[in-house]
Amino acid sequence: MISVALHRQALKDRIAVVMSLIDETHPAAPAVGPISREARGLAIVLLFAAYEELLTSLTRTLLETVVRMRISNRRMQPGFKAFAVRNSVRSLRDVSERKLFVSAIPTMLELTERTDQHPTVDTNDFPHDGSFMKRTQIEVWARTFRVGPPATILKRTWNSIDAVVSQRNQVAHGALTPQDVGRNYTESEVRKLVSDWSADWEDFLLHVEKCASTRDFFRVPR
């Protein structure tokens, strides 16, 4: 039903940039200067960017597919149905008690039962969990789309994700510089992290592609 070829290529392109950065700033002689440290710190920032883009673009692909297949809200699998009623659910927070029962809830229930072939899904939506892409975000994503425990797929990378996110955020907010982050890694450690990151996220993409290979991934069977 879906192809992850473009996502895999985008990942490879981003990883190639990271490896080129390390190669250019780490010559054969040991590299201990500020430029090499900064490059290692920037590599961490770029790894985060690659992961964030991968997960958001993959979400868009899945949502675009359910729309293209013209699956009614009623027939959608629960995770996709949640996107179909997302805006209606948001409105419940600010509605009065009276309108809750005479308008808001009935409207939401009507959306879940729509049988026409026009799913009310925003293809730019994303199941944010508020952690800004830490491991819990991947767990929420995996539960939403029912692709299984992500830790078993992202084997070598799983325990590094929160550190990468945290260090990227500290650089983005000015709490740390790339040089500060780069001091935490040797050249060999960064190269292994980049290599594992690339391999594990490619495995993740292929796993999702396999899960989404039938219509029943998107709709409840009759």
Side-chain angles (χ1 to χ4, degrees):
M1 293 288 107
I2 71 166
S3 170
V4 298
L6 291 178
H7 301 288
R8 291 176 67 191
Q9 188 58 53
L11 175 65
K12 288 178 181 179
D13 290 345
R14 286 174 177 266
I15 293 299
V17 170
V18 180
M19 293 304 295
S20 293
L21 177 65
I22 299 300
D23 289 340
E24 292 294 327
T25 55
H26 292 72
V32 295
I35 295 301
S36 61
R37 287 195 298 269
E38 184 153 348
R40 295 194 295 275
L42 288 173
I44 301 303
V45 174
L46 293 174
L47 287 182
F48 170 85
Y51 147 55
E52 181 181 41
E53 170 59 21
L54 181 150
L55 207 59
T56 55
S57 63
L58 182 58
T59 303
R60 188 178 306 112
T61 292
L62 292 173
L63 297 182
E64 287 174 348
T65 301
V66 80
V67 170
R68 185 176 67 252
M69 293 170 65
R70 298 176 68 82
I71 298 172
S72 67
N73 288 357
R74 188 175 187 179
R75 288 288 309 279
M76 287 180 190
Q77 288 287 0
F80 290 96
K81 187 177 288 190
F83 287 100
V85 300
R86 174 81 170 267
N87 288 334
S88 183
V89 170
R90 281 172 174 163
S91 69
L92 295 178
R93 293 176 297 186
D94 303 315
V95 77
S96 68
E97 190 75 12
R98 177 177 176 276
K99 289 183 177 179
L100 188 68
F101 289 96
V102 302
S103 176
I105 291 178
T107 297
M108 184 187 70
L109 293 177
E110 286 173 10
L111 279 173
T112 65
E113 292 300 309
R114 277 182 62 164
T115 57
D116 59 85
Q117 304 301 304
H118 298 284
T120 57
V121 170
D122 180 355
T123 57
N124 293 312
D125 211 342
F126 186 83
H128 293 286
D129 82 325
S131 72
F132 198 66
M133 306 306 285
K134 288 190 175 181
R135 287 186 300 185
T136 56
Q137 174 64 80
I138 308 172
E139 291 171 336
V140 167
W141 194 96
R143 286 199 299 271
T144 298
F145 292 110
R146 297 185 174 187
V147 298
T152 61
I153 309 164
L154 300 166
K155 305 178 186 70
R156 296 156 296 187
T157 296
W158 185 248
N159 289 330
S160 303
I161 290 172
D162 283 359
V164 167
V165 173
S166 177
Q167 289 163 353
R168 177 269 175 194
N169 289 344
Q170 289 181 81
V171 170
H173 298 139
L176 292 176
T177 67
Q179 281 192 47
D180 294 329
V181 174
R183 288 191 180 94
N184 297 323
Y185 300 89
T186 65
E187 178 185 352
S188 61
E189 288 171 340
V190 167
R191 287 186 181 277
K192 185 177 188 308
L193 177 61
V194 174
S195 177
D196 290 346
W197 198 269
S198 176
D200 288 349
W201 280 111
E202 183 169 2
D203 286 346
F204 182 86
L205 285 171
L206 292 172
H207 173 76
V208 173
E209 182 179 62
K210 182 178 180 180
C211 290
S213 63
T214 69
R215 294 179 71 86
D216 289 346
F217 176 81
F218 301 92
R219 70 179 187 185
V220 176
R222 292 188 185 280

